[in-house]
Amino acid sequence: QDYKILGFPFKSGVKGDSISQIEFGLESLFKNGDLKDFKLIFNFEEKCTNFEVFKKDVLKNIENYNPDMIFFENFQEIKSKPDPKILDYLASLKIPLVYFEWNPWSMFRKRPTIFLRQFFEIIDINFIKGSGTLFNVFEALGGRNISFTVHPSNQNLMNFDLTSNKKLFEISMFCNYWPSKLNILNMDGVNKRYEIVSELKNFYGDRFKLFGKNWNQKFQSQVINYSEVPEYQFYSKINLGWEHYSKIPYYFSNRLPNSYHLGVPYFSNPIIGLESILPNYDFLTYKNTNGLIEKINTLISDSNLYEDISTTNRKFAYDYFDIKRIFKFNINQIETMYF
């Protein structure tokens, strides 16, 4: 793909403990020989609300580099309004302006900011990792050319010995617990997470390990950084999660593709749209602990079944959760939509 792409990575979350999919994706494509060149400009959120600052730190870079397309991501944490002169300048470039949203939203929780609402006016193509209500939000706000993109596995965080057979944990669940004071304001799945964790801890005792923030001390949860999650997943025999936003079709967090990529069976609540896509879907989904405990016990006792699921999931991850494949597909879509 003979393109020069300029990317504006946005590393949301705790400083030093977050990643940019744009940075990871463009880097991977370039190293693999699938991209002519790329350039990254960091801290766009500090340079996009004042044209004089933008002119000094960004505009000259754009004109000197002369990109074929520009990638943005995750604007929802920028609270200020963009400078209209910046929007006018970017629109005047006459190249694809592409936005990636890696998080779920609704009009109720995690609502889009005024910054992104105004940026939608110039964005040519939007990639989101969900459908249904998430698509509806983008469309209602004026988003154009909205397309689905898959959440990749975080292979850039897997800097440990992937040949090791050592397992430090038997049954691990990865999730935070952020209840609201009013139950009606809870994110989808908050109460269910508490129910599942309580029952698994009660049944398995110390065989069950919880990783996540804001849990009651009785659960003995271990708080780990976002960047550490893949390593802890790898050293667990069985991984579990319970996704928020289960009503958004195709939406899932990075824990699922990571676990698939690492070859560790991952149990999750049902995800709309993936019923006929994910391998071993029926076995690896659960609605409560009744059937889940039986499945976990079966998997622990049946090494052939465990190896079969591990191998199948790992192959699926290489085929569909690899960021090079995902970004190549996205660029092909941009070609079709824009050129």
Side-chain angles (χ1 to χ4, degrees):
Q1 293 172 316
D2 196 26
Y3 294 116
K4 292 167 60 180
I5 300 179
L6 178 62
F8 289 89
F10 189 82
K11 298 186 177 184
S12 59
V14 180
K15 191 172 183 180
D17 184 38
S18 56
I19 65 167
S20 159
Q21 304 295 356
I22 284 178
E23 179 182 10
F24 175 33
L26 296 181
E27 227 171 53
S28 299
L29 284 180
F30 182 72
K31 286 180 180 178
N32 203 50
D34 295 319
L35 191 63
K36 181 179 180 179
D37 195 25
F38 76 99
K39 181 180 178 66
L40 302 174
I41 299 178
F42 291 92
N43 303 314
F44 180 68
E45 63 275 15
E46 299 171 8
K47 304 165 183 173
C48 60
T49 56
N50 183 290
F51 186 71
E52 292 307 313
V53 175
F54 176 86
K55 188 176 180 180
K56 176 184 175 184
D57 297 339
V58 179
L59 189 150
K60 289 182 179 178
N61 273 298
I62 293 175
E63 294 186 345
N64 289 337
Y65 188 63
N66 191 27
D68 298 301
M69 55 184 78
I70 297 179
F71 286 2
F72 304 95
E73 67 183 346
N74 290 7
F75 280 164
Q76 82 280 6
E77 292 191 22
I78 304 177
K79 309 303 181 186
S80 305
K81 293 182 180 180
D83 189 318
K85 292 180 181 178
I86 295 176
L87 298 182
D88 290 342
Y89 170 76
L90 291 172
S92 72
L93 295 174
K94 303 302 180 184
I95 59 175
L97 303 178
V98 184
Y99 180 71
F100 291 84
E101 180 53 66
W102 303 103
N103 296 301
W105 303 345
S106 68
M107 287 294 194
F108 194 54
R109 290 286 305 234
K110 295 183 95 170
R111 290 175 291 181
T113 63
I114 186 65
F115 182 91
L116 187 51
R117 288 169 186 261
Q118 294 188 6
F119 232 87
F120 270 137
E121 297 175 8
I122 64 164
I123 295 294
D124 298 296
I125 299 162
N126 293 275
F127 287 102
I128 59 177
K129 65 167 195 171
S131 185
T133 55
L134 184 59
F135 178 92
N136 294 340
V137 170
F138 266 70
E139 190 173 49
L141 294 174
R144 294 173 291 162
N145 296 319
I146 307 166
S147 186
F148 174 72
T149 188
V150 179
H151 197 304
S153 56
N154 297 132
Q155 292 160 263
N156 54 331
L157 300 180
M158 298 176 186
N159 303 312
F160 43 87
D161 183 9
L162 292 169
T163 64
S164 174
N165 293 318
K166 179 172 62 175
K167 296 297 179 185
L168 303 177
F169 313 101
E170 188 172 16
I171 304 158
S172 299
M173 188 160 182
F174 296 82
C175 58
N176 299 320
Y177 180 61
W178 300 112
S180 296
K181 292 181 180 179
L182 295 176
N183 192 51
I184 193 173
L185 295 178
N186 275 335
M187 286 186 287
D188 171 35
V190 167
N191 293 333
K192 198 67 178 179
R193 283 185 176 186
Y194 191 90
E195 173 192 318
I196 297 296
V197 166
S198 300
E199 293 177 3
L200 290 178
K201 184 66 176 175
N202 183 57
F203 187 87
Y204 287 109
D206 291 340
R207 296 171 63 195
F208 173 75
K209 180 64 178 176
L210 178 63
F211 296 94
K213 299 175 182 177
N214 207 44
W215 288 96
N216 188 295
Q217 287 184 349
K218 68 180 181 180
F219 296 117
Q220 300 175 301
S221 178
Q222 182 174 340
V223 177
I224 58 177
N225 291 329
Y226 177 88
S227 58
E228 297 175 302
V229 171
E231 186 169 8
Y232 281 89
Q233 286 185 300
F234 179 69
Y235 288 115
S236 300
K237 187 173 182 66
I238 290 173
N239 291 326
L240 299 101
W242 186 277
E243 297 286 356
H244 287 315
Y245 301 99
S246 62
K247 295 180 177 63
I248 296 180
Y250 305 108
Y251 170 77
F252 49 84
S253 69
N254 64 318
R255 298 173 188 88
L256 186 150
N258 284 345
S259 204
Y260 273 55
H261 185 94
L262 295 167
V264 180
Y266 180 85
F267 288 95
S268 178
N269 51 315
I271 300 169
I272 298 172
L274 299 186
E275 301 89 345
S276 59
I277 298 175
L278 290 180
N280 308 299
Y281 179 88
D282 290 338
F283 184 80
L284 293 175
T285 54
Y286 67 100
K287 296 180 179 179
N288 52 58
T289 56
N290 294 336
L292 173 63
I293 289 172
E294 182 181 349
K295 290 177 178 181
I296 290 174
N297 293 342
T298 298
L299 201 52
I300 290 173
S301 62
D302 190 337
S303 59
N304 290 330
L305 175 62
Y306 185 96
E307 186 58 33
D308 180 60
I309 289 177
S310 175
T311 301
T312 304
N313 286 6
R314 190 184 290 114
K315 183 181 184 308
F316 184 89
Y318 278 110
D319 288 342
Y320 297 103
F321 294 144
D322 179 83
I323 198 162
K324 294 187 295 297
R325 290 176 178 267
I326 293 168
F327 266 60
K328 284 171 73 174
F329 181 75
N330 291 340
I331 291 172
N332 287 337
Q333 287 181 290
I334 294 168
E335 287 178 327
T336 301
M337 291 180 184
Y338 193 91
F339 296 113

